[in-house]
Amino acid sequence: MERDSQLELYELVADRLKEAHARVRSLQVPEGVRMALSRKLLVVTAAAKHDLADAARRLDRLMKDLDEGRFPEGD
C-alpha cells in the first residue's frame, strides 16, 4: 500500500513539474527571471530524487508564487 501512495505522489509531482515548466516557458518576463525560475525547477527535480514529499512542498510554493506573480530577481 505504501508503494502505491508513493507512486501516486511521484506521478502527481511529475505532472505538476511539466505544468510548471510550461508556465515558466510562457511567461513574459526578462530572461534572467526565466533562468532563475528554471533553476528553481531544477532544484525541485533534484529534490524529488531524494525526498518526494519535500519536492512536492517546494513545487507547491513555487506554483503559488507563479499564481501570485511573485518572481525571483534575475541575474
Side-chain angles (χ1 to χ4, degrees):
M1 195 65 153
E2 168 85 18
R3 183 166 165 77
D4 289 342
S5 63
Q6 191 76 357
L7 287 173
E8 287 175 14
L9 182 57
Y10 180 80
E11 185 175 339
L12 175 68
V13 169
D15 288 344
R16 295 205 60 221
L17 273 169
K18 288 179 189 176
E19 176 189 346
H21 277 281
R23 287 185 63 187
V24 167
R25 275 193 309 273
S26 70
L27 287 173
Q28 299 296 317
V29 294
E31 188 61 27
V33 172
R34 186 180 328 283
M35 288 175 55
L37 288 168
S38 294
R39 282 192 297 271
K40 285 181 174 263
L41 287 169
L42 289 173
V43 168
V44 172
T45 302
K49 295 176 183 177
H50 304 287
D51 187 343
L52 198 52
D54 180 52
R57 286 189 294 275
R58 288 173 182 243
L59 186 54
D60 285 343
R61 282 193 304 268
L62 178 59
M63 295 297 275
K64 183 177 182 191
D65 287 347
L66 290 177
D67 289 342
E68 296 176 0
R70 289 193 307 255
F71 306 121
E73 299 276 328
D75 291 351

